[in-house]
Amino acid sequence: MARTVVDIDDRQLAEAAAILGTASKVATVNAALADVVKRHQRQEFFDWLEAGGLPDLTGPIEHDEVSA
């Protein structure tokens, strides 16, 4: 893991820690980064669904007649 020095808004960091339930600056920043990545991945999935990624599952289910 890379060590990086950055200026972070203390108020926003504290608010993010409260939201995320983290206890340290490192944990808060890492949890926030993970949240951003997960949100993006979810949005990509929703966009894929909206674009027809799955067949229409809302209509009636057609069954093939099987004779015994």
Side-chain angles (χ1 to χ4, degrees):
M1 186 179 301
R3 183 172 185 89
T4 305
V5 177
V6 295
D7 291 326
I8 298 176
D9 183 308
D10 289 331
R11 183 185 53 78
Q12 287 185 329
L13 183 66
E15 191 171 345
I19 292 167
L20 296 167
T22 53
S24 71
K25 290 179 181 181
V26 171
T28 302
V29 171
N30 285 330
L33 291 172
D35 184 59
V36 168
V37 171
K38 289 175 187 176
R39 285 175 189 247
H40 180 75
Q41 290 171 338
R42 282 191 302 270
Q43 187 60 55
E44 283 184 329
F45 178 70
F46 293 141
D47 292 344
W48 175 76
L49 286 176
E50 189 174 55
L54 290 176
D56 183 14
L57 301 176
T58 60
I61 298 173
E62 298 179 21
H63 297 282
D64 292 334
E65 291 294 323
V66 178
S67 52

